[in-house]
Amino acid sequence: GRCRAFHSLRFPAGHSSTNTTAWLQQRSSTLRRISCVRSESYEPYLILPTANLNPTTPNPNPNPGPSRFKFDDAFSGYGLNKITFVQALLHSGFALYAVPENFLFHVPHKASAARLDFEGWDSQACQRSTRRQRAIMREYARRYIQRAESLLAESGVPRRTLLCEGGERLHWDAY
């Protein structure tokens, strides 16, 4: 059989910045810097430090910037969680690298109740609902990224991973 990047056909913006072709050719002894992302909807799999990663409490680290954000519990379930978190990390000064010779398998599964709710399905009535959950998460995600931008501006730390020239902006109304 053949393998491909997760959702590479259905949602290429989600992983295209990894550049799978370059990753496959990458030497095992090197990390490859991802200097810009092709889409603000990029949602790579991440390996992160765990120390001092809380956006709601003061950071004891005297060097502000990349160590500011942890995955917020409000993003449990489904919808805008990885996209928002990655954008917050990028806006807070994180740099991204492709790790050679490491990969994950995604096992297809049925849509969760959280996904159905986010996408506007009433799983009990099997029909479209108000999409209230989507609107709530979209607004929370906007505020979360704005907080990351503010913290970065206050810290003076430069943003290290930018949107590539001609890259796709995040269109909130699409989510």
Side-chain angles (χ1 to χ4, degrees):
R2 292 184 51 137
C3 292
R4 67 170 61 106
F6 181 67
H7 285 325
S8 60
L9 301 177
R10 192 185 96 168
F11 185 57
H15 291 278
S16 64
S17 296
T18 302
N19 187 347
T20 305
T21 302
W23 175 77
L24 287 169
Q25 297 169 355
Q26 195 171 328
R27 289 192 321 226
S28 63
S29 60
T30 62
L31 293 176
R32 183 174 46 82
R33 174 92 158 78
I34 299 173
S35 58
C36 65
V37 294
R38 297 175 185 170
S39 170
E40 289 182 338
S41 296
Y42 185 44
E43 49 182 5
Y45 294 99
L46 301 168
I47 301 171
L48 298 169
T50 58
N52 303 327
L53 291 176
N54 190 329
T56 58
T57 59
N59 187 350
N61 182 348
N63 300 312
S67 63
R68 291 272 186 150
F69 276 85
K70 88 172 195 180
F71 192 82
D72 193 311
D73 291 342
F75 293 114
S76 65
Y78 181 91
L80 292 174
N81 48 14
K82 287 192 300 182
I83 290 171
T84 302
F85 182 56
V86 169
Q87 283 303 304
L89 291 174
L90 297 181
H91 283 282
S92 65
F94 267 81
L96 298 177
Y97 293 85
V99 178
E101 298 183 348
N102 287 272
F103 57 90
L104 300 168
F105 286 100
H106 171 78
V107 178
H109 54 84
K110 291 183 179 184
S112 66
R115 179 178 179 176
L116 294 172
D117 187 35
F118 181 80
E119 291 181 345
W121 284 97
D122 180 334
S123 56
Q124 299 294 330
C126 296
Q127 62 187 11
R128 286 270 178 209
S129 66
T130 62
R131 295 186 188 216
R132 185 175 57 89
Q133 181 65 20
R134 183 181 292 209
I136 291 168
M137 290 312 295
R138 188 170 45 221
E139 184 54 35
Y140 189 84
R142 279 188 196 145
R143 288 194 313 263
Y144 190 75
I145 291 172
Q146 286 171 347
R147 175 153 166 69
E149 290 170 340
S150 296
L151 287 171
L152 185 63
E154 291 169 15
S155 73
V157 173
R159 184 168 173 187
R160 298 178 357 164
T161 305
L162 303 172
L163 183 65
C164 298
E165 187 174 327
E168 177 189 352
R169 304 287 309 178
L170 186 58
H171 300 287
W172 291 103
D173 295 334
Y175 294 97

